[in-house]
Amino acid sequence: MLNREEMIKRAVFPGSFDPITKGHENIIRRALPLFDEIIVAIGLNIEKKGYFKLEDRIFWIKTVFADCNKIKVTSYSGLTVDFCKSVEASYILRGLRTSADFEFERTVGQVNKKLYPAIETVFLLTTPEYTSVNSSIVRDVYKNGGDVSLFIPDGVTLKGK
């Protein structure tokens, strides 16, 4: 068995990615030098139905990162820390846009640490041009016929309800 120093540095970047935004892409690309592998993990919540189909979200993420073999894409349900254990990830990657994000993510990170002491949460600050971008806003612009191309990565063509 490998000791901690010899283990693959694997991070999970959990989210709904409904849809993936340029902000998500930016966080993932900036995190690439930090990890050997990043698993973009679409969390499924039975109480919350996604706007875009899961298959489309997976396809879009794979398309955006087709140039990078360090990125894996999958979906999961249940606790993020349980998923991290199942894929032998030692890190959870999160992006922070605002101080409110920090307060929320800090609390979640502390709970995750209690549930799974081996996990570390790594926060990257969003670059200023993406601070206002989130999936909810993109969906709202899309639903109302606006131009979402400013907010989603190249290669993503939204098709939804």
Side-chain angles (χ1 to χ4, degrees):
M1 190 166 131
L2 299 174
N3 66 37
R4 190 163 178 93
E5 288 77 35
E6 295 169 327
M7 289 178 66
I8 292 173
K9 288 191 298 186
R10 181 175 294 122
V12 169
F13 188 38
S16 65
F17 306 99
D18 191 25
I20 186 170
T21 68
K22 286 185 177 182
H24 293 131
E25 178 187 20
N26 180 264
I27 292 291
I28 294 166
R29 290 201 185 274
R30 289 175 38 230
L32 283 171
L34 304 175
F35 303 105
D36 299 316
E37 181 179 276
I38 298 174
I39 300 171
V40 180
I42 301 171
L44 304 176
N45 182 339
I46 56 172
E47 296 173 12
K48 198 167 124 181
K49 188 172 176 358
Y51 183 79
F52 294 103
K53 292 180 189 169
L54 174 62
E55 299 77 25
D56 290 338
R57 291 184 270 162
I58 290 171
F59 175 77
W60 293 329
I61 297 166
K62 285 182 176 181
T63 299
V64 170
F65 296 103
D67 63 326
C68 185
N69 61 1
K70 289 172 66 170
I71 306 280
K72 309 291 182 237
V73 185
T74 191
S75 63
Y76 74 100
S77 59
L79 294 174
T80 300
V81 291
D82 290 340
F83 175 73
C84 290
K85 287 178 193 175
S86 75
V87 297
E88 299 180 341
S90 301
Y91 305 93
I92 296 174
L93 174 64
R94 299 301 293 157
L96 298 175
R97 291 172 296 145
T98 65
S99 58
D101 283 354
F102 172 73
E103 292 301 329
F104 175 77
E105 294 293 347
R106 177 180 61 177
T107 301
V108 172
Q110 289 170 332
V111 169
N112 286 339
K113 189 73 168 166
K114 270 282 204 222
L115 294 172
Y116 182 32
I119 202 75
E120 292 294 344
T121 302
V122 176
F123 299 115
L124 289 184
L125 299 177
T126 304
T127 53
E129 64 269 27
Y130 301 120
T131 300
S132 64
V133 178
N134 67 48
S135 294
S136 298
I137 289 173
V138 173
R139 281 193 310 273
D140 195 43
V141 171
Y142 177 79
K143 289 176 194 177
N144 288 288
D147 179 10
V148 295
S149 66
L150 298 169
F151 311 112
I152 59 174
D154 294 339
V156 174
T157 304
L158 299 185
K159 54 183 182 197
K161 302 167 181 164

